[in-house]
Amino acid sequence: MSDFEITALVLAEHEVFRREFSALEDLSGQELAAAWESLHAKLEVHAVAEEQLFYPLLAQEAGGEEETAEGVHDHNEIRHAAAAVEEHEVGSEDWWTAVSAARQINADHMSEEETDFFPQFKESVDDEQREALGMRWLAFHDEHEQADGLSGGDAEVAEVVATEVPEGDPSL
């Protein structure tokens, strides 16, 4: 499996999220605020990239309509939990409670993807297409660094399922 295959890239980002949520515990003040802002943006970029690249093919090619609906629902829950963090003073007890909730929802979601979604996807979508999606994943992240141009609004399952994902390497 290539390092640029989409599930490898998604999994690598999951590890980044685990580390960055954990690292928040060692920060305070402006560093804590900046680290949360960066993590929050990464969560949104990740969610939208999955909704535009991974989930449509999970539903269309891997028979994963139910998993796609669950994934989109989870993303919306993560968005709401992250927005709740923003309602509190950085570092306050309420802020940490909200961060903890966002962390747990995200952790549960990542575990479900890794255990239930990835095997089904990898079995149904060939290596070449998964690597082409990985290249699109990287291009999407470059285009939307720090969530530039993304609304942060809820995704709709029907729109995600209906998304047409171009085939082939985007660099060609």
Side-chain angles (χ1 to χ4, degrees):
M1 172 174 61
S2 163
D3 290 342
F4 298 109
E5 186 265 342
I6 191 166
T7 59
L9 293 170
V10 172
L11 186 58
E13 260 183 41
H14 286 182
E15 292 306 317
V16 167
F17 294 146
R18 289 179 176 104
R19 283 192 311 271
E20 289 191 10
F21 266 112
S22 182
L24 291 175
E25 297 167 10
D26 297 327
L27 302 173
S28 62
Q30 286 295 82
E31 287 182 325
L32 180 59
W36 168 252
E37 184 179 323
S38 175
L39 177 55
H40 185 182
K42 288 176 188 173
L43 289 167
E44 181 61 17
V45 172
H46 181 88
V48 177
E50 283 188 340
E51 291 160 2
Q52 292 185 7
L53 298 171
F54 178 70
Y55 287 159
L57 284 185
L58 178 66
Q60 297 163 12
E61 303 289 331
E65 294 88 355
E66 182 178 326
E67 290 81 358
T68 296
E70 288 175 24
V72 171
H73 173 77
D74 289 353
H75 284 176
N76 291 338
E77 281 192 334
I78 293 164
R79 287 177 174 110
H80 296 178
V85 171
E86 304 293 329
E87 296 173 6
H88 305 288
E89 181 181 338
V90 174
S92 69
E93 186 176 330
D94 289 340
W95 186 87
W96 281 111
T97 299
V99 167
S100 180
R103 182 180 188 175
Q104 187 61 55
I105 293 166
N106 191 61
D108 292 346
H109 170 70
M110 292 185 306
S111 177
E112 184 177 30
E113 278 186 344
E114 293 164 8
T115 305
D116 299 337
F117 299 10
F118 287 3
Q120 183 176 343
F121 185 82
K122 289 165 84 171
E123 189 174 298
S124 300
V125 178
D126 68 39
D127 293 348
E128 185 178 321
Q129 179 68 351
R130 290 196 324 266
E131 186 154 332
L133 286 172
M135 299 309 290
R136 290 187 187 288
W137 178 270
L138 294 172
F140 183 90
H141 280 65
D142 285 346
E143 183 179 341
H144 298 287
E145 190 173 349
Q146 294 301 310
D148 296 338
L150 305 179
S151 73
D154 284 358
E156 297 294 331
V157 173
E159 291 175 15
V160 170
V161 170
T163 300
E164 189 172 326
V165 179
E167 291 195 30
D169 188 334
S171 63
L172 299 176

